[in-house]
Amino acid sequence: MTKVSNTLIFTLLVWLTAFSSSSQADRLLDRVVAVVNEQIVLQSELETRTRETAQELMSQNIPVNNLQELQSKVLDNIILEILQKQRAQQLGLKVSDEEINEQLIQIATQNKMSLLTLRNRLNAEMPNGFVTLRNKIQQKLLIQKLRQQEVISRTLVTEEEINNYLQRSRLDSSRFEYRLRHILITLPESATETQRLEAKEQINDLAQRLNSGESFSQLAVRYSKGSKALTGGDLGWLKQSQIPTFFADALDGLEPGQVSQVISSPSGFHLIKLVEERDANRQLVAQYHLHRFIILSDNATQQSEVPMDIQQIVADTRSLDEFKQLATRFADIPAEVNQNSDLGWKTLEELPFGLKQSLLELAPNQIAEPIASEQGWVLFFLEEVRNFDINKANEQQQAIQAIRMRKANETFDIWLRRLRDEAFVDIRL
């Protein structure tokens, strides 16, 4: 059976409790606790949300000492959510099925299951559990779009602020980054001479074994007492300012693939391996120029295999022109479904999980294996691949976004309160 993360399990339990409580409340006489413009908030909704919040706080070991005070804060949050949704509707903001599906795929991937398995698991936990999740994701994305349009995009950033930000960034970071592996043989506090000799003998033995060609990562897992031992001693990518000072001299002069001499420190004896190094100001990533076509189907995610007719389409499509002709072949599909078929350049991180592995095995001018979605079968055609210096291209844009986010965070609460002040809110607790 697929194991589900603790976070998802907790979320499911919260939703299950909320659903059961609201179902019981619907059978009882409910009452209005607040009116927000023309929308009402019911007692049952407030009680459910309060219960959810209390459970979340308890899961973080935060005690709830005053339930009435908590309920008042929860009601305030509900009111603000309603006001934001109402404002989004006024602006005509919408969340597409594709955006929701991308979030669902991420959740399924994080919990090592397919989208179909996730849906079945949620529906087994509570009636319409999958629909409940979709609705929560839709609300979250809608509010994010509203904040982007109403606050973040309207936050002005001056040329001077951008230049100052970039200058500080370049001063704060070394040009190069290093990926290291680490083996540590610890010493107890107030170690005796015998203990030091035993530890030194062990680290020297490991150094000899590494020189003989044994795997650094395997020896780290077996013998290292460092915090990253179970990952093969992998310390990840470190800037020069992040590298422990007693490693600095040993690292100087090492070539990728080489292991240092034994390093002594107050915590014990160390060996480090320089796995690779890179220019932090130049980060080449693979980008894929993709085109997409969706063949509508109401049961694609329920099928265990790709239908023969879809497989034949993949086999027959050998060029971008043939791929574009699918629009003519399936003229009965509404135009808006495939109106944005040219996706442009995308990195792997920007793509659905099910497509990533296929792309690594594709050459340009090839079509990927179909992916089942809630809409139907999704076909992707790879036109071209390139290496792209993402740091250089995004440096100024990242600066603008970072400055905007910092300034927007300072004004967001003010915008929310202004939204509330301009609305009709009648609390009847």
Side-chain angles (χ1 to χ4, degrees):
M1 180 178 290
T2 305
K3 294 184 178 179
V4 186
S5 72
N6 290 335
T7 301
L8 184 58
I9 290 174
F10 172 75
T11 304
L12 290 172
L13 290 174
V14 168
W15 290 341
L16 182 59
T17 302
F19 180 86
S20 301
S21 302
S22 59
S23 296
Q24 293 170 6
D26 288 342
R27 293 192 292 268
L28 299 174
L29 184 62
D30 217 335
R31 73 182 186 90
V32 175
V33 294
V35 179
V36 185
N37 290 325
E38 297 179 355
Q39 185 170 339
I40 63 173
V41 181
L42 296 175
Q43 179 75 32
S44 57
E45 179 185 0
L46 176 58
E47 290 178 353
T48 296
R49 291 285 295 273
T50 302
R51 189 178 300 108
E52 289 179 21
T53 304
Q55 289 174 334
E56 291 173 6
L57 291 172
M58 286 187 290
S59 73
Q60 301 171 47
N61 296 319
I62 301 175
V64 178
N65 298 321
N66 190 324
L67 194 59
Q68 186 175 3
E69 183 179 275
L70 177 64
Q71 188 179 65
S72 177
K73 291 181 178 178
V74 169
L75 179 58
D76 190 53
N77 282 340
I78 293 174
I79 291 169
L80 292 176
E81 286 176 10
I82 292 173
L83 290 172
Q84 289 176 86
K85 286 191 287 185
Q86 290 176 347
R87 179 59 177 162
Q89 291 172 355
Q90 291 173 2
L91 296 173
L93 299 179
K94 295 181 180 179
V95 177
S96 68
D97 288 340
E98 182 180 338
E99 291 172 306
I100 299 173
N101 290 338
E102 287 180 1
Q103 294 290 314
L104 288 168
I105 290 171
Q106 286 184 20
I107 293 172
T109 302
Q110 290 167 1
N111 290 280
K112 299 180 180 179
M113 61 176 68
S114 68
L115 188 58
L116 177 60
T117 303
L118 174 65
R119 183 178 65 182
N120 292 339
R121 181 67 61 84
L122 288 169
N123 287 337
E125 292 289 340
M126 66 178 182
N128 298 318
F130 189 69
V131 173
T132 301
L133 176 59
R134 284 185 64 88
N135 291 338
K136 286 179 177 287
I137 291 173
Q138 181 184 32
Q139 177 176 316
K140 176 184 174 182
L141 293 176
L142 185 64
I143 290 177
Q144 286 178 353
K145 286 189 173 186
L146 175 66
R147 294 179 180 181
Q148 176 67 36
Q149 180 164 323
E150 289 283 270
V151 183
I152 298 173
S153 65
R154 297 182 181 182
T155 302
L156 299 178
V157 178
T158 67
E159 194 71 29
E160 183 180 4
E161 287 176 315
I162 296 172
N163 292 335
N164 289 339
Y165 179 92
L166 292 175
Q167 186 176 7
R168 286 196 304 271
S169 297
R170 290 163 185 156
L171 289 174
D172 289 344
S173 60
S174 171
R175 177 181 175 183
F176 288 98
E177 293 178 333
Y178 305 87
R179 187 179 176 195
L180 303 177
R181 289 190 182 272
H182 174 226
I183 292 176
L184 167 65
I185 302 300
T186 56
L187 285 172
E189 292 186 19
S190 304
T192 65
E193 186 62 25
T194 300
Q195 289 172 323
R196 291 187 61 84
L197 289 174
E198 289 175 350
K200 186 66 178 295
E201 184 177 345
Q202 185 178 7
I203 198 75
N204 286 336
D205 177 64
L206 292 175
Q208 290 179 0
R209 293 171 67 174
L210 290 169
N211 289 334
S212 299
E214 290 196 46
S215 166
F216 193 102
S217 58
Q218 290 181 12
L219 291 179
V221 171
R222 291 186 62 187
Y223 300 107
S224 178
K225 302 300 182 182
S227 61
K228 301 295 185 180
L230 292 180
T231 63
D234 190 356
L235 300 181
W237 286 101
L238 300 173
K239 297 177 182 178
Q240 201 161 33
S241 60
Q242 298 171 314
I243 296 174
T245 53
F246 48 85
F247 285 179
D249 290 340
L251 180 62
D252 189 27
L254 279 187
E255 296 293 331
Q258 291 183 336
V259 178
S260 71
Q261 298 295 318
V262 173
I263 305 166
S264 177
S265 80
S267 59
F269 297 102
H270 313 256
L271 290 167
I272 57 171
K273 177 180 179 178
L274 176 58
V275 180
E276 52 185 322
E277 64 182 18
R278 67 186 181 191
D279 187 338
N281 297 324
R282 179 176 171 81
Q283 187 176 353
L284 296 178
V285 297
Q287 285 191 322
Y288 303 83
H289 190 178
L290 291 166
H291 300 261
R292 179 188 60 205
F293 190 83
I294 301 173
I295 301 175
L296 295 178
S297 172
D298 57 4
N299 64 347
T301 57
Q302 299 173 10
Q303 300 185 50
S304 58
E305 295 183 356
V306 180
M308 290 298 299
D309 59 333
I310 305 295
Q311 293 184 37
Q312 192 61 49
I313 290 172
V314 173
D316 293 342
T317 305
R318 302 181 184 88
S319 70
L320 181 58
D321 286 339
E322 291 177 345
F323 187 82
K324 290 181 177 180
Q325 289 171 13
L326 292 175
T328 302
R329 180 173 175 179
F330 294 93
D332 57 325
I333 296 177
E336 60 268 17
V337 173
N338 291 300
Q339 63 182 353
N340 297 316
S341 60
D342 188 345
L343 302 182
W345 291 99
K346 301 287 185 182
T347 63
L348 287 179
E349 288 70 24
E350 298 174 290
L351 298 172
F353 175 78
L355 180 61
K356 292 181 181 180
Q357 190 60 40
S358 297
L359 280 180
L360 295 175
E361 300 170 0
L362 280 185
N365 291 312
Q366 286 187 339
I367 188 171
E369 287 299 313
I371 296 176
S373 74
E374 292 298 311
Q375 283 185 284
W377 293 100
V378 187
L379 305 180
F380 291 92
F381 188 90
L382 176 60
E383 180 180 358
E384 192 178 353
V385 182
R386 72 180 182 186
N387 286 323
F388 186 70
D389 189 347
I390 196 168
N391 278 356
K392 182 177 180 180
N394 290 339
E395 187 178 46
Q396 187 173 45
Q397 191 57 42
Q398 288 172 350
I400 294 172
Q401 187 67 9
I403 296 168
R404 274 182 174 167
M405 288 300 295
R406 187 192 68 225
K407 296 174 75 172
N409 287 337
E410 296 169 355
T411 61
F412 181 67
D413 285 339
I414 298 173
W415 174 81
L416 270 181
R417 291 303 159 185
R418 185 181 300 128
L419 195 65
R420 176 164 180 164
D421 290 344
E422 294 172 355
F424 172 77
V425 178
D426 180 17
I427 296 176
R428 303 178 181 179
L429 272 180

